[in-house]
Amino acid sequence: MLKTTVNGLELAYERRGRGTPLVLIHGYPLDHTIWNPVVPLLEPDFDLILPDLRGFGQSGAVRTRTLLTDMAADLAALLDFLKIKKAVIAGHSMGGYIALAFARCYPSRLCGLGLLASQANADPPEKKVVRYQMADRVEASGVGEVAESMPALLTANTDLQAALKQLILRQPREGVAGALRAMADRSDSTDILSTFDFPVAIIHGLTDKIVPIERARDVRAAVKKGSLVEIEGVGHMPMMEAPQVSAEALKTLL
Ligand code: MLT
């Protein structure tokens, strides 16, 4: 992977293809490799930038409190380093929360937004408590518990579950715990949806067990220029479970 230093930490990223810059932000507790199935479909049209977020994959972790806006700032700094002023930003789940934080902090830098298996809502109070408790357990005992419990929530495809379990086991505990707390602390983004002047592509599996389809429909209803692709038989990992459909939807942002 390529590496650069942003905001005092080493950020790893892949760069593939040519065309309109498209940043693909992975979700929790994963890394940029979740995009592998769509990369060959998108690289003829896009200059793909595939970061590992701070605390994940080959990027450095921080021990201090992280907010999703800090992760958005890492991506803005990466774009500065690459001399890219405007990009399409697409995020998977937590990556979508970060894309929305990016849209709030750097609205002039977006020319399109993709949300896969994501939502604009913040966590209800009871979910914040569960995230904080899990973060403490991950910090104390490692990512094993997350790796056992999460794959079945991500997808019904058992081969994919096994691969995702291995991917989760490779993630550092500080990054996973930090992201759990950052998600719990995130602000609600519904207030900014109606201000977007760029196109928004929403991609969502109808059997998503983590973010229900209703949250995607809420985003679609709130944005001016939105399209929603609802994918039958797909769970929380549309870019892996339905790469062709996901890539076609992202191409509408060209
Ligand atoms: C993700 O897939 O990024 C997270 O599971 C999202 C969440 O827990 O809200």
Side-chain angles (χ1 to χ4, degrees):
M1 288 185 86
L2 301 164
K3 291 198 174 166
T4 185
T5 300
V6 297
N7 302 325
L9 63 101
E10 195 170 54
L11 203 76
Y13 64 101
E14 292 277 13
R15 196 164 186 195
R16 299 274 295 270
R18 59 175 54 193
T20 306
L22 169 59
V23 183
L24 292 173
I25 314 171
H26 66 80
Y28 159 92
L30 308 166
D31 67 21
H32 79 283
T33 58
I34 61 164
W35 300 107
N36 285 350
V38 287
V39 165
L41 307 172
L42 295 173
E43 64 184 349
D45 299 300
F46 289 102
D47 173 5
L48 296 174
I49 298 142
L50 303 140
D52 280 344
L53 294 166
R54 59 165 76 187
F56 292 96
Q58 294 184 39
S59 285
V62 290
R63 292 194 172 273
T64 50
R65 178 174 176 231
T66 283
L67 298 173
L68 295 187
T69 46
D70 298 322
M71 297 188 181
D74 294 344
L75 302 180
L78 176 61
L79 289 179
D80 289 343
F81 170 74
L82 299 174
K83 301 198 175 7
I84 296 172
K85 287 205 174 72
K86 269 185 178 246
V88 178
I89 310 274
H92 167 242
S93 201
M94 178 183 77
Y97 311 159
I98 296 166
L100 289 165
F102 187 99
R104 183 184 295 280
C105 299
Y106 315 100
S108 64
R109 302 198 70 169
L110 269 120
C111 50
L113 175 70
L115 294 175
L116 297 96
S118 197
Q119 61 183 328
N121 301 65
D123 283 346
E126 60 280 7
K127 178 114 190 215
K128 288 183 201 281
V129 172
V130 171
R131 293 222 208 253
Y132 264 89
Q133 289 168 344
M134 178 65 94
D136 291 345
R137 291 202 299 279
V138 166
E139 223 158 43
S141 315
V143 299
E145 181 183 342
V146 179
E148 281 304 323
S149 59
M150 190 121 181
L153 298 176
L154 294 175
T155 176
N157 176 322
T158 48
D159 290 341
L160 206 47
Q161 285 176 6
L164 287 164
K165 179 176 176 183
Q166 294 310 313
L167 182 57
I168 296 169
L169 285 170
R170 288 200 290 275
Q171 306 309 315
R173 65 175 77 184
E174 314 82 58
V176 174
L180 279 164
R181 295 187 184 114
M183 284 194 284
D185 293 344
R186 77 184 187 277
S187 47
D188 194 292
S189 295
T190 46
D191 61 318
I192 54 169
L193 296 175
S194 64
T195 68
F196 296 163
D197 287 323
F198 40 75
V200 181
I202 306 150
I203 301 154
H204 216 97
L206 279 165
T207 52
D208 191 324
K209 290 186 184 153
I210 294 181
V211 182
I213 185 69
E214 287 75 23
R215 297 291 79 75
R217 292 177 185 154
D218 293 344
V219 175
R220 170 66 194 92
V223 295
K224 283 182 277 206
K225 296 186 223 168
S227 63
L228 168 59
V229 177
E230 302 188 3
I231 320 175
E232 214 154 327
V234 162
H236 192 62
M237 303 301 296
M239 78 301 283
M240 300 182 106
E241 299 177 79
Q244 197 76 43
V245 180
S246 301
E248 286 311 316
L250 288 170
K251 279 191 209 172
T252 64
L253 298 172
L254 266 172

